[in-house]
Amino acid sequence: MVATGLRDELPDIPGVHEQWGSGVLHCPYCHGYEVRDQPIAVVGGSNRPFTIHQASLIRQWSDDVVFFTNGIELSENERLRLDARSVGIVDVPVARIVVQDGRVIGIELTNGTVVPRTVVFVGPTFVPNDALLRSIGCTRLDNGWVATDPTGLTSVDGLWAAGNVSDSPAQLINSAAAGSKAAIAINHYLLELDVTRAVSAV
Ligand SMILES: Cc1cc2nc3c(=O)[nH]c(=O)nc-3n(C[C@H](O)[C@H](O)[C@H](O)COP(=O)(O)OP(=O)(O)OC[C@H]3O[C@@H](n4cnc5c(N)ncnc54)[C@H](O)[C@@H]3O)c2cc1C
């Protein structure tokens, strides 16, 4: 079983790496409740669809959300959908995340303006750590991720994958459950080999 997870490729903005997991977040289902009702920034990056969706989604946790497009060109309809939900939109590029005493206090734009914010959400690009699976020749889906059956079995006999390496949105509970499911399937697979070997020895 391969359970090597994924890498979050973050927007290349000063302050993002330093604050990752504390003042800079990506998952409202992990952190949304703790940062509810705060002035929240959503900053655009390379994962365009994820980030635009995130700007709408985060609005469920706070009335004060500003989307910093940061290079993302919004269509008229995308702008309308955010406007309709009272999500602020700033098109001036982001220069850095402003941090004071270890805490995010704002977003500095390239024109020098600082927009006060206490939390930043970004849309990382999710890259599976699947070099081993690919080198063995596992079939991949159209989106490039390794294909598995519901137990995690890949297209290669005897090789399972579990968790984020093959399932990007899986949270802790899903990843652990996938490991358990795969382990049971592997046990059944090995049992079948034992029985087959025993039968052929009779
Ligand atoms: C900032 C942040 C906050 C999060 N908060 C939550 C939360 O509150 N609740 C929640 O449910 N989920 C949360 N998640 C998601 C959670 O981390 C994942 O769902 C979970 O870790 C996936 O488990 P996994 O075992 O698939 O991968 P991982 O936990 O990433 O484990 C993979 C392991 O494989 C190792 N590895 C990689 N390549 C190799 C290799 N070639 N050889 C050997 N080892 C290798 C890695 O070092 C790592 O230890 C959060 C994620 C992030 C980034």
Side-chain angles (χ1 to χ4, degrees), residues 3-6 8 20-21 26 30-31 129 162-164 170-173 175:
T4 42
L6 60 69
D8 297 289
W20 178 235
H26 75 307
C30 304
H31 308 279
N129 296 321
N164 281 165
Q171 291 197 287
L172 286 173
I173 195 166
S175 302

Side-chain angles (χ1 to χ4, degrees), residues 22-196:
S22 54
V24 175
L25 308 166
H26 75 307
C27 169
Y29 303 112
C30 304
H31 308 279
Y33 183 77
E34 284 75 14
V35 302
R36 68 194 182 285
D37 301 328
Q38 294 190 34
I40 298 178
V42 177
V43 175
S46 58
N47 195 341
R48 183 183 195 282
F50 182 95
T51 319
I52 294 173
H53 177 67
Q54 199 182 40
S56 281
L57 184 63
I58 302 299
R59 175 66 180 73
Q60 291 185 304
W61 279 267
S62 171
D63 292 342
D64 184 1
V65 176
V66 176
F67 181 41
F68 298 81
T69 52
N70 200 37
I72 289 179
E73 293 279 340
L74 291 175
S75 71
E76 219 169 281
N77 187 45
E78 287 165 340
R79 212 168 268 275
L80 173 69
R81 286 167 57 90
L82 293 170
D83 274 347
R85 296 272 291 147
S86 306
V87 174
I89 300 174
V90 171
D91 289 315
V92 181
V94 170
R96 67 181 179 111
I97 312 294
V98 186
V99 177
Q100 197 175 66
D101 300 327
R103 289 181 173 275
V104 171
I105 59 162
I107 300 288
E108 185 176 321
L109 307 176
T110 51
N111 64 10
T113 306
V114 174
V115 182
R117 301 282 97 187
T118 56
V119 186
V120 182
F121 278 79
V122 295
T125 298
F126 305 107
V127 183
N129 296 321
D130 62 358
L132 181 61
L133 295 170
R134 281 187 285 114
S135 70
I136 294 172
C138 292
T139 300
R140 291 194 275 160
L141 302 169
D142 289 345
N143 63 9
W145 287 64
V146 165
T148 64
D149 81 354
T151 71
L153 178 64
T154 67
S155 60
V156 174
D157 184 45
L159 182 60
W160 273 259
N164 281 165
V165 70
S166 56
D167 182 3
S168 152
Q171 291 197 287
L172 286 173
I173 195 166
N174 312 110
S175 302
S180 165
K181 219 171 176 183
I184 290 170
I186 289 168
N187 187 214
H188 293 180
Y189 171 84
L190 293 174
L191 169 68
E192 194 51 36
L193 293 184
D194 283 349
V195 172
T196 306

